[in-house]
């Protein structure tokens, strides 16, 4: 992998593909996108973990009320 | 009844150095709809997958999306203000595996806002694998003449492939 990111452009009128290094502005935008993507990933994983924790908590409460595992599973179908 | 016919407009396969984006330019204005099919793997080292973001006519503004997805362990929905044309495998996924995706863009030459829909699956020899459907909108009335695809802040790896089709409804 080269140090400078490369972009490829395919001209649909000719079919010719051209590679070029990214400009400084494009690299800055790309870095910002990477930071945003990482933030999104962390947020999404936290959201999923919270949902799974809530589900486990709800199942535990239902079990404490006397529902069987089969009855609890039936509620989510 | 319309009889849609598919024409391959351009295709590319990423070489050994990888690339940060793939652009289809000079898109002819003689078709009804566009279709992009791809198979992708990206350099991100923190995730099994990464979204493939789109730039249309050089613009990353005025996009919105809603998506439904399953991750192998949960299902959920999300929304946002980027343009997402699909998902790529990340480098955490099983070596030498690639995602599959396709994105359909109807009426790309019209003077209305441009809607698009995408479906993607990632491949992974583990529980975590993504199946996802995206509905997107580019709130711009310009005809689409160029489309760039980039794996969010990372690079597409060698052997990723992208093909653009034009669809003509007679």
């Amino acid at each position: 992998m080269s140090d400078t990111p490369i972009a490829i452009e395919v001209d649909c009128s000719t079919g010719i593909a051209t590679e070029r290094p990214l400009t400084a502005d494009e690299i800055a935008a790309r870095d910002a996108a990477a930071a945003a993507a990482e933030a999104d990933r962390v947020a999404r994983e936290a959201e999923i973990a919270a949902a799974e924790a809530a589900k486990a908590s709800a199942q535990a409460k239902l079990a404490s009320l006397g529902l069987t595992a089969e009855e609890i599973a039936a509620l989510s179908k | 009844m319309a009889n849609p016919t598919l024409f391959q407009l351009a295709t590319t396969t990423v070489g050994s150095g990888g690339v940060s984006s793939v652009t289809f330019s000079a898109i002819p204005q003689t078709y009804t709809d566009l279709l992009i099919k791809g198979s992708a793997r990206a350099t991100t080292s923190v995730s099994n997958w990464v979204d493939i973001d789109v730039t249309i006519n050089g613009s990353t503004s005025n996009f919105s999306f809603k998506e439904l997805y399953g991750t192998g362990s949960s299902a959920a929905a999300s929304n946002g203000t980027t343009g997402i044309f699909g998902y790529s495998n990340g480098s955490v996924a099983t070596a030498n595996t690639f995602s599959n995706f396709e994105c359909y863009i109807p009426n790309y030459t019209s003077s209305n806002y441009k809607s698009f829909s995408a479906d993607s699956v990632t491949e992974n020899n583990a529980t975590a694998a993504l199946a996802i459907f995206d509905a997107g909108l580019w709130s711009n009335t310009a005809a689409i003449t160029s489309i760039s695809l980039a794996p969010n802040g990372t690079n597409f790896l060698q052997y990723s492939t992208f093909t653009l089709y034009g669809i003509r409804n007679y």
Side-chain angles (χ1 to χ4, degrees), chain B residues 4 106 109 118 148:
Chain B
T109 63
S148 297

Side-chain angles (χ1 to χ4, degrees), chain A residues 1-2 5-13 15 17 19-20 22 30-34 36-38 40-41 44-45 47-48 52, chain B residues 9-10 12 17-28 43 46-47 49 67 69 73-74 78 87 152-155 157 164:
Chain A
M1 193 74 66
S2 64
I6 300 296
I8 188 168
E9 178 174 334
V10 185
D11 187 320
C12 294
S13 65
E19 292 190 359
R20 64 169 178 81
L22 293 190
R30 181 173 173 274
D31 291 344
E38 174 62 7
D40 287 347
R41 184 188 67 83
R44 179 175 292 184
E45 288 187 352
E47 185 179 329
I48 291 171
E52 290 178 347
Chain B
L9 302 181
T12 187
V19 296
S20 61
S21 65
V22 171
T23 298
F24 294 111
S25 64
I27 296 173
T43 55
V46 297
S47 180
W49 54 76
E67 59 188 11
Y69 59 90
S73 59
S74 64
S78 182
Y87 278 75
N152 201 335
T154 63
N155 283 347
L157 284 168
L164 175 67

Side-chain angles (χ1 to χ4, degrees), chain B:
Chain B
M1 187 172 185
N3 179 24
T5 304
L6 196 68
F7 298 88
Q8 180 177 308
L9 302 181
T11 188
T12 187
T13 300
V14 175
S16 60
V19 296
S20 61
S21 65
V22 171
T23 298
F24 294 111
S25 64
I27 296 173
Q29 302 295 292
T30 52
Y31 298 91
T32 312
D33 307 332
L34 295 176
L35 173 66
I36 294 176
K37 290 178 176 283
S39 174
R41 184 177 178 89
T43 55
T44 180
S45 59
V46 297
S47 180
N48 285 299
W49 54 76
V50 62
D51 49 300
I52 299 173
D53 295 340
V54 66
T55 300
I56 296 179
N57 295 356
S59 172
T60 57
S61 302
N62 303 313
F63 285 96
S64 59
F65 74 88
K66 291 182 183 294
E67 59 188 11
L68 298 171
Y69 59 90
T71 63
S73 59
S74 64
S78 182
N79 62 77
T81 57
T82 55
I84 295 178
F85 264 28
Y87 278 75
S88 169
N89 263 33
S91 290
V92 178
T94 303
N96 303 314
T97 59
F98 291 73
S99 74
N100 286 294
F101 73 92
E102 69 175 42
C103 183
Y104 197 89
I105 311 114
N107 301 311
Y108 71 103
T109 63
S110 83
S111 56
N112 297 318
Y113 289 174
K114 310 301 183 300
S115 63
F116 48 89
S117 60
D119 58 84
S120 313
V121 291
T122 64
E123 186 173 356
N124 193 18
N125 188 21
T127 300
L130 183 70
I132 188 163
F133 299 93
D134 285 89
L137 181 70
W138 184 47
S139 299
N140 192 301
T141 58
I144 295 174
T145 57
S146 75
I147 293 173
S148 297
L149 305 173
N152 201 335
T154 63
N155 283 347
F156 287 124
L157 284 168
Q158 186 180 23
Y159 304 126
S160 295
T161 62
F162 307 89
T163 304
L164 175 67
Y165 298 91
I167 292 169
R168 187 173 288 149
N169 290 314
Y170 292 102

Side-chain angles (χ1 to χ4, degrees), chain A:
Chain A
M1 193 74 66
S2 64
D3 292 332
T4 303
I6 300 296
I8 188 168
E9 178 174 334
V10 185
D11 187 320
C12 294
S13 65
T14 63
I16 295 173
T18 306
E19 292 190 359
R20 64 169 178 81
L22 293 190
T23 67
D25 286 347
E26 288 173 329
I27 291 172
R30 181 173 173 274
D31 291 344
E38 174 62 7
D40 287 347
R41 184 188 67 83
V42 171
R44 179 175 292 184
E45 288 187 352
E47 185 179 329
I48 291 171
E52 290 178 347
K55 183 178 180 181
S57 174
Q59 289 173 335
K61 288 176 181 173
L62 290 170
S64 71
L65 292 173
L67 275 72
T68 65
E70 290 76 15
E71 290 170 332
I72 293 171
L75 288 173
S76 61
K77 290 181 180 175

